[in-house]
Amino acid sequence: MHQQYQRPSRMRQIVLAGSLALASLSASAATTLTIAALNNPDMIELKKLAPAFEQQNPDIKLNWVVLEENVLRQRVTTDIATNSGKFDVMMIGTYEAPIWAKKGWLYPMDKLSADYDLNDVVKTARDGLSYGGKLYALPFYVESSMTFYRKDLFSKLGLTMPEKPTYTQIADYAKALKEKGGVYGICLRGKAGWGENMAFLSTLINTNGGRWFDEKWHPTIDSPEWKKSVGFYVDLLQKYGPPGASTNGFNENLTLFASGKCGMWIDATVAAGMLFNPKESQVADKVGFAMAPTGVTPKGSSWLWSWSLAIPKSSKQEAAAKQFVQWATSKDYIKLVAKDLGWTSVPPGTRISTYKQPEYQKAAPFASFVLNAIQSANPNDATLKKVPYSGIQFVGIPEFQSFGTVVGQSISGALAGNTTVDAALKAGQAAANRAVVQGGYQK
């Protein structure tokens, strides 16, 4: 009897061992993608909706690293430059994509699934994320810049915002709003960073006839155009802006405007979706909009940027990462956001089909305005005088990340009252000159 019972027991052991092996195999087959993401409302929504992707792809797990803008840029740059492979998907922009593609750091976004419909993606966005005729990132949202203002306060004070305001008019409105409107006259980025305060300031300098470098790569940061622009900006914010403006970036100003504390705000078009959404904004029914202001020229007065998803060559999970990136930038994802937050809040600027949606046109009065701003921004003709670089609110060379931040820090210091505008620009001039001399740009 004992012999007879021994054999089933062995069989059970074999079956059990086989089951454990299969379970182990299945567990090891699950791919974990680590995503470096930006801490802003659109990306927080992506993280919130991402379980839908995991349900569709049970073999892929997502690990999120959500970071503030300046920190994100620092971390992903360090990671990709050192080939450390901490991230499988990175949120980068129109500045990094062509530079990193040229260095061979990114996988090309080719062989996309047939239903992705790449031709539906706005051409300006694709061009900004390409190098050598190949696409290296897929746009999550695309933005230009524009002027937001409080229609109710303008009406109450007898002010009229033109479709194309000038900075002189903006200063007059800011004064009236602060003195008689009971709000901060204007909110602008003051937080130091090449993509924070320098994004706005570069457009102000462009429209005032300035530029970062002359045709021979000599920096022009101590030029009259820069002094006029930065002096105007510091004076405007110190007189009519919120206290502590030197620490405010996009997120902080979004909160101030959405809670009714700002009369005007010049910033990214992507904010429109948040400001017009009553779930996210206390002033949703009081927001007016106009083009980004101009000075002596309309050239370079509004920026062009795309927060995009890219896959670094250091990732060992290219196929799974590409699957996720396509999902996050697809027509279906846009519909998912519309279902969750409403059409007002879908990621803007990426797909022509979004702008053809009757629901989007109805929910977003700014839709065609924003699309036009994105499509008309020209990174190759953004200054009054000729320049040797491309980019509107940045200089498209690897060194810019470093010296652009130094200049941003100096100007933020001037805004905080810790130094003068002249001293800040002198420090910026030296930093930029050192960078291009070391980089071999000056001949």
Side-chain angles (χ1 to χ4, degrees), residues 8 15 49 54 79 117 125 170 235 253 270 320 344 346 357 374 422:
V15 169
L49 296 177
E54 290 175 311
D79 186 72
D117 193 5
I170 292 293
D235 187 56
N253 286 324
V270 72
T344 322
V346 301
Q357 286 280 353
I374 289 165
D422 280 359

Side-chain angles (χ1 to χ4, degrees), residues 34-367:
T34 299
I35 302 159
L38 178 67
N39 179 21
N40 76 1
D42 285 284
M43 288 306 291
I44 300 299
E45 176 70 359
L46 175 62
K47 185 185 174 189
K48 176 186 165 188
L49 296 177
F53 172 81
E54 290 175 311
Q55 283 166 8
Q56 290 167 24
N57 302 274
D59 55 333
I60 301 174
K61 297 280 166 268
L62 304 176
N63 173 37
W64 293 85
V65 180
V66 181
L67 303 163
E68 184 270 326
E69 191 166 320
N70 288 336
V71 180
L72 172 76
R73 290 187 159 124
Q74 201 175 17
R75 289 275 299 276
V76 296
T77 303
T78 302
D79 186 72
I80 204 162
T82 57
N83 200 38
S84 68
K86 284 192 182 75
F87 302 114
D88 301 293
V89 176
M90 291 176 167
M91 192 153 214
I92 66 170
T94 35
Y95 167 71
E96 296 93 348
I99 292 173
W100 292 1
K102 186 179 180 182
K103 289 177 179 285
W105 289 352
L106 300 172
Y107 282 109
M109 287 294 174
D110 52 10
K111 297 173 187 152
L112 301 174
S113 61
D115 61 355
Y116 186 75
D117 193 5
L118 190 57
N119 288 330
D120 184 47
V121 176
V122 174
K123 188 176 182 298
T124 330
R126 282 183 279 148
D127 290 348
L129 301 170
S130 297
Y131 171 74
K134 280 187 180 177
L135 189 62
Y136 283 89
L138 294 180
F140 182 68
Y141 69 77
V142 187
E143 63 184 35
S144 184
S145 50
M146 65 197 284
T147 305
F148 301 101
Y149 67 98
R150 286 280 299 279
K151 284 190 302 188
D152 57 330
L153 296 179
F154 267 65
S155 176
K156 181 180 154 190
L157 298 173
L159 305 172
T160 304
M161 174 70 80
E163 188 193 337
K164 299 176 181 178
T166 65
Y167 273 105
T168 306
Q169 289 171 316
I170 292 293
D172 291 341
Y173 300 150
K175 183 176 191 288
L177 287 160
K178 175 76 186 290
E179 291 175 358
K180 302 171 192 167
V183 292
Y184 303 126
I186 191 161
C187 289
L188 297 169
R189 297 186 187 195
K191 185 185 281 186
W194 68 264
E196 278 281 9
N197 62 344
M198 293 319 298
F200 168 74
L201 278 163
S202 293
T203 62
L204 176 59
I205 290 152
N206 290 339
T207 197
N208 280 334
R211 52 189 173 167
W212 278 86
F213 295 93
D214 67 18
E215 290 171 88
K216 295 184 175 176
W217 283 106
H218 296 122
T220 59
I221 296 167
D222 59 357
S223 66
E225 293 89 349
W226 273 73
K227 286 177 184 174
K228 176 189 171 186
S229 302
V230 178
F232 169 84
Y233 159 84
V234 167
D235 187 56
L236 188 68
L237 277 178
Q238 285 181 346
K239 283 182 180 171
Y240 312 123
S246 62
T247 60
N248 291 344
F250 173 83
N251 285 342
E252 292 80 7
N253 286 324
L254 173 65
T255 302
L256 283 167
F257 195 96
S259 60
K261 295 185 175 73
C262 280
M264 288 184 296
W265 180 33
I266 303 156
D267 212 300
T269 54
V270 72
M274 302 152 202
L275 294 178
F276 277 83
N277 188 339
K279 291 180 188 172
E280 300 179 56
S281 168
Q282 292 171 32
V283 294
D285 58 342
K286 300 178 178 72
V287 184
F289 58 88
M291 290 172 70
T294 55
V296 300
T297 175
K299 285 190 175 189
S301 57
S302 56
W303 68 63
L304 180 67
W305 183 257
S306 168
W307 276 115
S308 309
L309 298 170
I311 305 165
K313 279 278 182 77
S314 50
S315 170
K316 305 288 187 288
Q317 325 278 4
E318 183 198 0
K322 196 174 278 188
Q323 227 172 310
F324 170 73
V325 171
Q326 287 183 87
W327 175 84
T329 58
S330 66
K331 294 176 188 178
D332 284 346
Y333 176 75
I334 287 169
K335 286 174 188 165
L336 212 57
V337 178
K339 193 177 173 186
D340 187 49
L341 290 178
W343 275 100
T344 322
S345 297
V346 301
T350 57
R351 290 184 169 272
I352 300 295
S353 55
T354 302
Y355 291 85
K356 288 181 178 173
Q357 286 280 353
E359 300 98 324
Y360 187 58
Q361 291 170 5
K362 189 180 172 188
F366 50 82

